[in-house]
Amino acid sequence: MKPVLPEPVTLATVIQRDPLLAQAVKRVPPYPGFPLRNQRDSHFHALARSILYQQLANAAARTIYQRVCALTPDGSFPTASNLLALPDQALRDAGVSRNKMRALRDLAGKVDSGELRLRSIGRHPDEEVIGRLTSVWGIGLWSAQMFLMVRLGRLDVMPATDLGIREGVRRLDGLAERPSPGYVLDRSEAWRPFRSVASWVLWRLCDE
């Protein structure tokens, strides 16, 4: 007699077992799917750009990013080796803070030396990817989780410390205050193995 295999867990079944999430899905734009198909930049470029954009308004970060690009002969963002060759003062004049310069140089150094192999990083499980990325000074858990979701298209990521996620859970559950990251993690267990999709829904709830 053949063993009875469990039914595969689909996105539809995850949504159906949480009525509040099911209602929210009907109100928000559809999940676009990650990674986005129009991403032509390298993983190094994406990580370096995320460092530059940290804790800055988009307009200010874009200006600094464009100034850094202007430091290369063809106006493109520097490669890891090119960034290492740029003088500190050139980056400072472009508006890069000392902490971000340190983070960029640590990232570029690890990539250039081969210590951090970004081309093959997608072959590793989520926790190992997070460990490798957070070994870079200035790249924390949140940035690593965003990389997993947006760059590698991992479907079961829950950035519980993100303020937008916490606010989305507050709205989803009708709470008076934003819940703790611990509450969010416990709450997200019902959404496995599609917590990235649930995260998208929670972020979109914040737009309402």
Side-chain angles (χ1 to χ4, degrees), residues 33 48 65 102 114 121 131 138 182 202:
Y65 171 81
R102 178 181 174 185
I121 200 167
L202 295 171

Side-chain angles (χ1 to χ4, degrees), residues 136-200:
V136 176
W137 194 92
I139 294 182
L141 174 61
W142 182 87
S143 296
Q145 289 173 324
M146 293 303 102
F147 184 89
L148 281 171
M149 292 174 67
V150 178
R151 297 293 303 189
L152 300 184
R154 300 294 171 85
L155 288 174
D156 195 34
V157 181
M158 175 47 61
T161 60
D162 184 272
L163 287 178
I165 293 293
R166 292 169 60 197
E167 175 63 17
V169 172
R170 186 192 71 79
R171 298 186 182 200
L172 182 74
D173 288 354
L175 304 175
E177 297 180 352
R178 286 176 187 159
S180 68
Y183 178 99
V184 173
L185 281 177
D186 289 343
R187 181 73 172 84
S188 72
E189 285 300 313
W191 307 327
R192 286 184 181 273
F194 295 101
R195 292 184 298 170
S196 298
V197 183
S199 295
W200 170 264

Side-chain angles (χ1 to χ4, degrees), residues 2 17 41 46-47 55 65 69 74 77 85 93 100 107 122 127 135-136 143 147 150 155 157 183 202:
K2 291 183 178 181
R17 67 191 183 203
D41 56 345
L47 287 168
Q55 299 178 328
Y65 171 81
C69 289
D74 63 357
F77 194 82
D93 290 345
K100 290 186 178 182
L107 171 65
E127 289 305 316
S135 72
V136 176
S143 296
F147 184 89
V150 178
L155 288 174
V157 181
Y183 178 99
L202 295 171

